[in-house]
Amino acid sequence: MTVKHDAILRKEDLLAIENTLYEPKKEELVARGFIKLNTNFAPFAQEIGYDWFDRTGSAKILAAGGSAKDVPFVGENGGRETMKVYDIVTGIRYTKAERMAAQAKSALGKGPVVNLDTSRVATARRFVAETENRLAFVGDAKHKIKGLLNMLGITSESVAASGTGAGDSAKRLWTNKTPKLKLADLLTGKKKVEAGNIFKARVLLIDSDHFNQLLEPFSDSSPMTVLKWLQTEGAFFEKIIVTSALNHAHNGFSTVDAFAILDNDPEIIELAVVEDLALGDPVYDILGTSEQVASERTAGCIIRHPSAIYVGKGI
């Protein structure tokens, strides 16, 4: 039996790489779990633009004989946002020796058809997904990209200092608050999103430590958990997304954890993906090492109504 020693990536190898790359685990695509993708852009676009606004105006009852000058007009406060498109890239590399070993085992019947280490492909996919999530939540300061947690116009404030402790920062911590006070923090956010009856508090974003605190009984006399109360008696969030993006290590607030409440209607927020994750053709260097780029083109979050987002900090 002859084993080819050029050991280029075969059709089977490329298929295995593509299958691994294009099948992300659900937990990797956190932002896509509650933000609709907008892919209506030319793949070669270098920037995109969109309009954002908040509604203004009122209606009025006119008495008989009222004049045109008494009629109030509706309008919008807002502007035009232009966002640059950026490439999220990472690379996948296989040495000639790795490919030869895999193909030799396959040819001798001592290994599967594909024996390439596709774990590095899964790692590449995860790195791209994590970067996309980070752009959606906090943007990127170096490239002046804003995310849903720091976009201008959102309501971002410290929660009430209503618990126990030596100072305000301690009194804001959920570990120092009763279930009733934790609920009060969430309902404050819900009310601010829904002020004016324009938006709906559809989504709660929270990290795992604080989500688990919602599993505590409401009180010694009531076995109902805080989460159950939220789902049946209180806020009625359509989605509760548990993600590390809200803890202090990732949320951009340095030292404090947070939660976020928002209306995720596509008219309010979308994720601009100009070109979804794609795998480039393999390129070989003079030593036979193969390299492929995995890339995605995105501009981050399109947020047309910042006032539909509330961030409660210090929990």
Side-chain angles (χ1 to χ4, degrees):
M1 182 174 291
T2 301
V3 178
K4 295 181 68 177
H5 291 286
D6 53 4
I8 62 172
L9 287 169
R10 304 164 302 168
K11 181 179 179 181
E12 295 89 344
D13 300 325
L14 292 172
L15 184 60
I17 292 172
E18 289 178 350
N19 286 342
T20 303
L21 189 73
Y22 297 146
E23 294 181 6
K25 296 178 181 178
K26 183 178 180 181
E27 62 267 23
E28 292 177 0
L29 302 178
V30 177
R32 297 189 184 200
F34 67 96
I35 305 176
K36 183 179 182 295
L37 293 189
N38 186 338
T39 58
N40 297 320
F41 308 102
F44 53 80
Q46 299 300 308
E47 65 177 28
I48 64 169
Y50 68 94
D51 296 311
W52 67 271
F53 62 91
D54 287 324
R55 296 181 179 89
T56 62
S58 62
K60 186 177 181 180
I61 299 174
L62 291 182
S67 65
K69 68 179 181 180
D70 297 318
V71 177
F73 289 89
V74 297
E76 301 85 26
N77 287 327
R80 177 86 177 161
E81 285 286 337
T82 301
M83 302 167 60
K84 291 184 178 180
V85 176
Y86 295 92
D87 294 320
I88 302 174
V89 295
T90 190
I92 303 165
R93 179 186 290 120
Y94 292 104
T95 66
K96 183 176 181 179
E98 287 175 321
R99 298 194 308 274
M100 289 178 63
Q103 293 176 16
K105 288 181 181 179
S106 177
L108 295 171
K110 295 182 179 181
V113 174
V114 176
N115 199 39
L116 284 172
D117 180 6
T118 54
S119 63
R120 68 188 64 172
V121 184
T123 300
R125 179 197 68 214
R126 186 172 183 86
F127 281 161
V128 172
E130 287 176 350
T131 304
E132 177 189 280
N133 288 327
R134 185 170 68 251
L135 286 179
F137 283 102
V138 298
D140 184 279
K142 178 181 178 181
H143 295 99
K144 299 180 180 179
I145 304 172
K146 295 292 186 181
L148 69 91
L149 297 181
N150 56 16
M151 177 65 73
L152 295 176
I154 70 169
T155 301
S156 180
E157 63 184 15
S158 296
V159 298
S162 53
T164 59
D168 285 351
S169 59
K171 293 177 180 178
R172 294 188 184 102
L173 295 174
W174 274 15
T175 53
N176 295 330
K177 290 186 176 182
T178 64
K180 185 176 181 179
L181 293 176
K182 296 170 189 177
L183 282 172
D185 289 341
L186 294 174
L187 293 177
T188 294
K190 172 182 167 66
K191 290 174 183 176
K192 294 197 174 183
V193 168
E194 296 183 347
N197 201 30
I198 298 173
F199 307 118
K200 175 69 176 174
R202 303 178 190 276
V203 180
L204 168 64
L205 306 173
I206 193 167
D207 71 286
S208 59
D209 287 345
H210 293 87
F211 174 79
N212 286 332
Q213 292 188 43
L214 299 180
L215 302 179
E216 299 170 356
F218 191 81
S219 67
D220 292 338
S221 60
S222 173
M224 179 180 288
T225 65
V226 179
L227 179 62
K228 187 68 174 178
W229 190 94
L230 282 173
Q231 294 172 327
T232 61
E233 305 292 337
F236 304 110
F237 296 115
E238 295 175 9
K239 288 188 176 183
I240 298 178
I241 306 293
V242 181
T243 170
S244 61
L246 273 295
N247 70 39
H248 65 274
H250 304 289
N251 62 22
F253 304 132
S254 298
T255 59
V256 296
D257 299 328
F259 67 84
I261 295 173
L262 69 147
D263 189 334
N264 68 334
D265 188 286
E267 290 187 0
I268 295 167
I269 182 170
E270 291 179 316
L271 186 61
V273 176
V274 175
E275 188 174 16
D276 213 342
L277 183 61
L279 182 68
D281 294 329
V283 176
Y284 301 89
D285 67 16
I286 60 174
L287 295 178
T289 298
S290 65
E291 296 180 344
Q292 290 176 272
V293 66
S295 64
E296 174 186 324
R297 306 194 70 230
T298 180
C301 276
I302 298 172
I303 300 177
R304 299 183 181 87
H305 301 281
S307 56
I309 300 173
Y310 175 89
V311 179
K313 298 179 293 187
I315 62 172

